[in-house]
């Protein structure tokens, strides 16, 4: 019974301690709520650790440890949180797998929203309830910071993407200028105004020396994932794709392709992908956990296997 008494005392201590820190001071209510949230979450963590220590110290049977187990579940429930993660289209499959992993190892839950970086940031500027925005460039996260929706110290580079020219039937090496063999309507890229991968592709096309009229005739779609689909389905003869998009299609069995059959252009157009933790999520433990875990070894290994370069590797080259 000793361990059950200890667990009861812990629970009573926690419940009796749940009082408003400064109830009488109405003017400081907003500040107090933030302080109270941090204080309460800390206390939950302490109680959870106490229960785990009880299990480690005593050989509990199921019948004798029911109260402690209930207390642990109660603390997990209070400590859990939800976060909405907005991710660039090229990162959708990877983000979904990260969410599954983190949900299996924590009480937190994540909702993944994907789309072109331009559209996601526009939605955030108009009040979309995103907790973390994972862009496919560095410029748009800075815009969120400039608008006061995120802070500079909440911005980090989480991956480096690669763009390539996929031209089925054409084997590298070849030059982008050779696209003039095709009709511009048979060449696809993501919309440069919305998608950083499209902007990178457009910059390479302009530098290639292709005729201006030819450039104006290219097919543009909302995001880089759609480009890979159009080329795979033979709706386009060639297209500028993301390595991560191709890797995702190959993992799902939607595409059988030799990686060397694509002209990868990372040396000319490595794409820095930045994230920001929004100010609205500064006290959201799920959003903070997401950002922290992105830079831990298991998730870093996952990013590499999904076709991304890691920033520190790029800087060391």
């Amino acid at each position: 019974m000793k361990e059950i008494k200890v667990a009861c005392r812990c629970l009573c201590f926690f419940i009796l301690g749940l009082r408003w820190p400064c109830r009488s001071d109405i003017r400081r209510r907003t500040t107090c709520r933030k302080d109270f949230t941090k204080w309460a979450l800390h206390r939950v963590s302490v109680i959870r650790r106490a229960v785990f220590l009880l299990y480690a110290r005593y050989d509990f049977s199921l019948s004798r440890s029911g109260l402690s187990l209930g207390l642990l579940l109660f603390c997990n429930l209070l400590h859990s949180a939800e976060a909405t993660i907005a991710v660039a289209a090229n990162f959708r499959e990877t983000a979904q797998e990260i969410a599954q992993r983190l949900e299996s190892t924590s009480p937190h839950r994540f909702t993944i929203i994907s789309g072109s970086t331009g559209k996601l940031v526009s939605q955030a500027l108009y009040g979309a309830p995103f907790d973390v925005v994972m862009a496919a460039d560095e410029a748009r996260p800075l815009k969120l910071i400039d608008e006061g929706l995120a802070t500079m110290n909440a911005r980090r580079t989480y991956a480096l993407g690669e763009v390539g020219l996929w031209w089925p039937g054409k084997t590298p090496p070849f030059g982008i200028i050779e696209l003039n063999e095709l009709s511009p309507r048979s060449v696809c890229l993501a919309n440069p105004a919305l998608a950083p991968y499209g902007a990178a592709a457009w910059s390479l096309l302009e530098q290639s020396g292709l005729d201006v009229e030819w450039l104006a005739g290219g097919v543009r779609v909302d995001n880089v994932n759609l480009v890979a689909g159009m080329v795979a389905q033979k709706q386009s003869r060639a297209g500028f794709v993301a390595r991560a998009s191709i890797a995702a299609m190959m993992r799902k069995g939607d595409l059988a392709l030799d990686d060397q059959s694509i002209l990868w252009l990372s040396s000319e157009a490595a794409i820095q992908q930045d994230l920001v933790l929004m100010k609205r999520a500064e006290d959201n433990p799920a959003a903070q956990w997401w950002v922290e875990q992105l830079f831990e070894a298991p998730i870093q290994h996952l990013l590499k296997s999904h076709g991304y370069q890691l920033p520190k590797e790029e800087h060391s080259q």
Side-chain angles (χ1 to χ4, degrees):
M1 291 297 293
K2 179 180 178 181
E3 60 273 11
I4 296 179
K5 290 180 180 179
V6 172
C8 287
R9 288 173 183 170
C10 290
L11 180 59
C12 291
F13 174 74
F14 177 77
I15 293 174
L16 291 175
L18 288 178
R19 62 182 184 278
W20 194 256
C22 47
R23 187 181 305 167
S24 61
D25 192 348
I26 299 176
R27 291 173 300 176
R28 295 176 56 202
R29 181 167 294 176
T30 301
T31 302
C32 290
R33 282 175 180 163
K34 291 183 179 180
D35 293 341
F36 175 77
T37 300
K38 294 178 181 178
W39 170 85
L41 289 176
H42 171 71
R43 179 153 297 187
V44 169
S45 298
V46 171
I47 300 299
R48 291 173 71 199
R49 286 196 294 270
V51 174
F52 279 121
L53 287 174
L54 286 173
Y55 272 94
R57 184 171 181 179
Y58 300 101
D59 183 18
F60 281 13
S61 66
L62 181 62
S63 60
R64 298 179 66 192
S65 62
L67 181 58
S68 296
L69 181 59
L71 177 59
L72 180 60
L73 294 175
F74 170 71
C75 292
N76 272 336
L77 179 62
L78 287 179
H79 197 62
S80 66
E82 298 180 357
T84 300
I85 315 296
V87 304
N90 71 89
F91 201 72
R92 181 185 63 198
E93 303 289 340
T94 304
Q96 290 172 343
E97 186 164 337
I98 292 172
Q100 291 176 358
R101 290 193 181 193
L102 297 188
E103 287 180 352
S104 68
T105 57
S106 77
H108 305 311
R109 293 295 175 263
F110 303 97
T111 300
I112 306 299
I113 306 294
S114 68
S116 65
T117 293
K119 286 187 175 181
L120 291 175
V121 171
S122 178
Q123 291 168 8
L125 291 171
Y126 281 94
F130 300 149
D131 297 304
V132 179
V133 175
M134 304 185 69
D137 66 1
E138 54 183 317
R140 288 183 174 88
L142 287 173
K143 187 173 183 179
L144 292 174
I145 293 171
D146 291 341
E147 294 295 328
L149 297 175
T151 57
M152 182 62 75
N153 59 7
R155 169 177 163 260
R156 298 183 69 177
T157 301
Y158 65 93
L160 295 170
E162 292 184 75
V163 64
L165 176 55
W166 183 17
W167 186 347
K170 193 84 166 178
T171 303
F174 56 83
I176 296 176
I177 187 65
E178 295 179 45
L179 285 173
N180 59 14
E181 300 173 10
L182 303 176
S183 163
R185 298 300 298 171
S186 65
V187 179
C188 184
L189 70 155
N191 188 339
L194 299 174
Y197 279 81
W202 182 254
S203 176
L204 292 170
L205 285 168
E206 288 185 317
Q207 296 170 25
S208 69
L210 286 166
D211 184 82
V212 174
E213 292 184 3
W214 190 98
L215 291 175
V219 176
R220 305 180 188 188
V221 294
D222 273 358
N223 62 67
V224 73
N225 283 354
L226 296 177
V227 177
M230 291 188 68
V231 178
Q233 296 169 16
K234 303 186 185 305
Q235 296 178 21
S236 292
R237 292 280 306 279
F240 287 87
V241 298
R243 184 185 286 273
S245 300
I246 297 297
M249 294 176 70
M250 294 176 69
R251 284 195 307 274
K252 292 189 294 184
D254 295 338
L255 183 66
L257 182 70
D258 180 3
D259 184 73
Q260 300 303 313
S261 64
I262 297 177
L263 178 64
W264 294 111
L265 303 162
S266 59
S267 60
E268 303 171 52
I271 298 176
Q272 179 176 321
Q273 302 195 191
D274 285 5
L275 66 80
V276 284
L277 177 70
M278 304 294 281
K279 282 186 176 180
R280 70 185 300 275
E282 287 179 344
D283 295 320
N284 184 330
Q288 294 172 358
W289 175 254
W290 176 278
V291 174
E292 290 170 4
Q293 292 304 302
L294 278 176
F295 299 93
E296 296 297 328
I299 303 301
Q300 293 278 285
H301 178 74
L302 176 67
L303 294 184
K304 291 182 68 174
S305 69
H306 281 210
Y308 293 98
Q309 298 177 37
L310 303 183
K312 59 184 179 182
E313 293 183 343
E314 177 71 11
H315 296 325
S316 64
Q317 291 177 355

